[in-house]
Amino acid sequence: MKKIEFKKIKFKKIKISKRFFIDAIQNIVILAFFAFLGIWFAYGSRAGSSERFAMKYFEYFLTGNYEKMYEMTDITESIFVDKDQYINIFECNAIMGGIKEYDISKPKKKDGLYVYTISYTRRDGAEGEFVVNLEKQPERTYLFFNTWKVNVDDLILDKYTIGIPSDMEGKIDGMDLKDYYDNTSLDGGMKYYILYRMLSGEHSFTITGENIDTYNTTIYVEPDDKELEFALDSFSMVPAQEDEVLEYSKYALNQMYEHALQGAPFTDIEDLFATSERRRAALGYLYDSIVDWSVGEDGAKLQTFSIDRISSTIQKYTYAEEVAVKVSYKYSFEALAGRTMVTANQDVITGNGKAEAVVYYRRDSKKNWKIIRIEMELPNYTEISEEE
């Protein structure tokens, strides 16, 4: 049996120098550094992009993420500038239904700001613009790249003046205006209040006074607005006083017809009206004309006159001393027609119609409302046609 012999294989030793290892390691480090540098530069450039920052702000606006928008702004808070009021502005101007396309302009430099205009088309086809003013910050990202904040100074009013009647009190967004009093008009009728640094957008106003119903309104204040004055005709009467004059107007008109058709003297009802002799004389003349109206020419005469339906509304309230009430009524009647040359017989006429009167009031020295004048046109019952 043959023996198998294994021969030893000798490997030749290769000498690798120390320099080779050093060069290899250096190359790996250099490649890794440049790879890291590329990633760092790409990320830093992206993070420091003003256009990307502007688009992110617009994206938050589209999605209603107003708190994130607020975090992107450079804003100094004050009494009328804070997060809640900032959010209110953009909620009021939200783009409902989304957009289908947009285009962002190249930035324009204005007063140290980078201004981007984003033009967009809503899904319903309406077009609009969204302007973003960017302000470069002193801080840097990774030591080299810019950081940005949105400047909202264009949304802030430096000074806003509010005027209300002197005997009233006002609030804006629940805050008393009296703390911001500035001056009173020369005639003493208006007081003016000045608010400094106020955000534009919707603001709620409440005005109260002895002679008015509580007045509440919401007004959108534009960035270019300077002042707001509440005119006297903006206010309505205190509800209890309004009800009083509305009911009293109907009552007084009924009393005038009722007594006049009976031929009673005006003195029977003169206490319904103001005490001024001049006022009562004019109202007495109107009353006498109703008495005369009930007996027409050629023997025509009202037999009956009935107000079947009556309503009243405030026509005008002139703060705080005058009010005009319009009284509308439907009536029916029966009358004797005038005699003719052919016959002495008188036909009986029946009919109905509509009429109006305006009753004017002023306050007397005791602050009670009194009727000073009534304007009305009496119907011609000898020619009137029937109305439903």
Side-chain angles (χ1 to χ4, degrees), residues 45-305:
S45 298
R46 181 175 171 81
S49 167
S50 59
E51 181 176 317
R52 182 175 180 273
F53 194 85
M55 282 305 304
K56 193 67 178 176
Y57 188 71
F58 182 56
E59 178 186 322
Y60 285 145
F61 172 62
L62 290 178
T63 57
N65 200 338
Y66 308 123
E67 292 197 6
K68 284 292 186 182
M69 290 178 70
Y70 189 74
E71 292 174 4
M72 297 175 72
T73 63
D74 180 19
I75 190 168
T76 301
E77 292 191 344
S78 57
I79 294 174
F80 298 102
V81 179
D82 60 20
K83 183 177 181 179
D84 290 339
Q85 295 183 67
Y86 170 90
I87 290 174
N88 173 54
I89 293 176
F90 291 97
E91 283 181 336
C92 293
N93 293 283
I95 301 174
M96 307 306 292
I99 64 172
K100 58 183 179 181
E101 58 184 12
Y102 72 88
D103 181 59
I104 184 168
S105 68
K106 291 183 178 180
K108 295 181 180 178
K109 198 167 183 180
K110 180 181 178 183
D111 299 328
L113 302 176
Y114 292 78
V115 182
Y116 284 94
T117 300
I118 303 171
S119 303
Y120 60 85
T121 303
R122 296 182 352 187
R123 293 191 183 277
D124 61 6
E127 297 181 345
E129 289 185 345
F130 187 82
V131 178
V132 185
N133 299 314
L134 295 186
E135 187 172 9
K136 189 183 292 185
Q137 302 299 295
E139 298 83 7
R140 297 274 180 165
T141 299
Y142 305 122
L143 302 178
F144 292 98
F145 303 104
N146 293 325
T147 60
W148 304 91
K149 285 287 187 181
V150 178
N151 184 295
V152 293
D153 287 348
D154 60 329
L155 300 178
I156 298 175
L157 290 78
D158 291 329
K159 180 180 177 182
Y160 190 60
T161 303
I162 300 172
I164 64 174
S166 293
D167 58 349
M168 298 185 189
E169 295 181 353
K171 291 184 177 182
I172 176 173
D173 300 329
M175 292 178 278
D176 285 329
L177 285 175
K178 62 184 179 182
D179 296 331
Y180 308 98
Y181 170 75
D182 182 68
N183 67 81
T184 301
S185 62
L186 292 176
D187 63 3
M190 297 290 290
K191 284 187 177 179
Y192 295 95
Y193 306 83
I194 295 181
L195 312 179
Y196 293 98
R197 288 198 82 248
M198 186 180 81
L199 269 172
S200 57
E202 282 190 353
H203 293 274
S204 63
F205 294 85
T206 300
I207 299 175
T208 57
E210 181 182 355
N211 301 312
I212 62 164
D213 187 18
T214 299
Y215 180 80
N216 292 295
T217 187
T218 298
I219 293 174
Y220 192 94
V221 180
E222 299 285 354
D224 294 333
D225 289 345
K226 302 296 182 184
E227 61 184 8
L228 173 66
E229 185 169 302
F230 289 93
L232 295 179
D233 58 5
S234 301
F235 308 109
S236 58
M237 296 180 70
V238 176
Q241 294 181 9
E242 181 175 323
D243 291 343
E244 178 186 336
V245 297
L246 290 177
E247 291 302 313
Y248 195 78
S249 299
K250 295 186 289 185
Y251 172 74
L253 195 67
N254 266 305
Q255 289 295 301
M256 289 189 75
Y257 270 119
E258 184 179 320
H259 284 75
L261 293 176
Q262 293 173 2
F266 176 67
T267 52
D268 284 4
I269 60 168
E270 65 179 0
D271 288 343
L272 295 174
F273 310 107
T275 57
S276 161
E277 289 186 14
R278 182 172 62 86
R279 304 287 191 191
R280 284 193 173 179
L283 287 160
Y285 180 81
L286 172 63
Y287 180 82
D288 291 341
S289 69
I290 299 175
V291 174
D292 295 340
W293 163 78
S294 66
V295 180
E297 297 179 358
D298 300 321
K301 180 178 175 59
L302 269 176
Q303 299 285 74
T304 62
F305 185 87

